[in-house]
Amino acid sequence: QVQLVESGGGLVQAGGSLRLSCVVSRSIFWFGAMAWYRQAPGKQRELVAAITSDDGSTNYADSVKGRFTISRDNVKNMVYLQMISLKPDDTAVYYCNKSPALQTWGQGTQVTVSS
């Protein structure tokens, strides 16, 4: 069973930056598109950003366009999310997974943005 381990979250002031990392226990090249999702308290999990395996095309939720950048390293089986200009509304637990997602999820990494 695949394992997904997210890290890099933390507490940051509004306007700050964080870089999230995700290591996958299997080769992500064959997974196809990978993505970051987030779930804020009392809300459903939402897709934040996705990146294809072949040409590295990306797409983003409107709420994070221009502020978040997703990237991947198919050799290291890693997926990254660079976040800048963070806002309190970005506070959530962030998860990486395939797109569309597998049933298996990691523990996520908490991002808290204070105003």
Side-chain angles (χ1 to χ4, degrees):
Q1 187 174 356
V2 65
Q3 291 184 320
L4 306 128
V5 180
E6 302 89 350
S7 62
L11 173 62
V12 63
Q13 288 188 331
S17 302
L18 284 171
R19 186 184 189 227
L20 306 183
S21 299
C22 171
V23 59
V24 185
S25 62
R26 289 168 55 184
S27 172
I28 63 172
F29 178 80
W30 304 109
F31 272 18
M34 294 293 296
W36 283 94
Y37 302 78
R38 70 185 180 186
Q39 187 167 21
K43 295 187 178 181
Q44 288 192 330
R45 190 175 292 164
E46 62 172 345
L47 188 147
V48 173
I51 183 168
T52 61
S53 178
D54 46 5
D55 63 1
S57 298
T58 58
N59 66 79
Y60 299 91
D62 288 343
S63 58
V64 306
K65 279 182 182 176
R67 300 187 299 119
F68 289 12
T69 303
I70 187 172
S71 59
R72 64 191 289 164
D73 186 327
N74 288 340
V75 175
K76 295 181 179 179
N77 298 324
M78 299 282 293
V79 187
Y80 306 97
L81 187 67
Q82 179 68 50
M83 307 185 294
I84 66 171
S85 302
L86 283 161
K87 305 175 181 179
D89 284 349
D90 295 319
T91 295
V93 179
Y94 285 72
Y95 304 86
C96 74
N97 208 313
K98 276 174 50 63
S99 176
L102 299 169
Q103 288 190 338
T104 299
W105 292 87
Q107 83 287 351
T109 187
Q110 175 71 49
V111 172
T112 303
V113 184
S114 63
S115 57

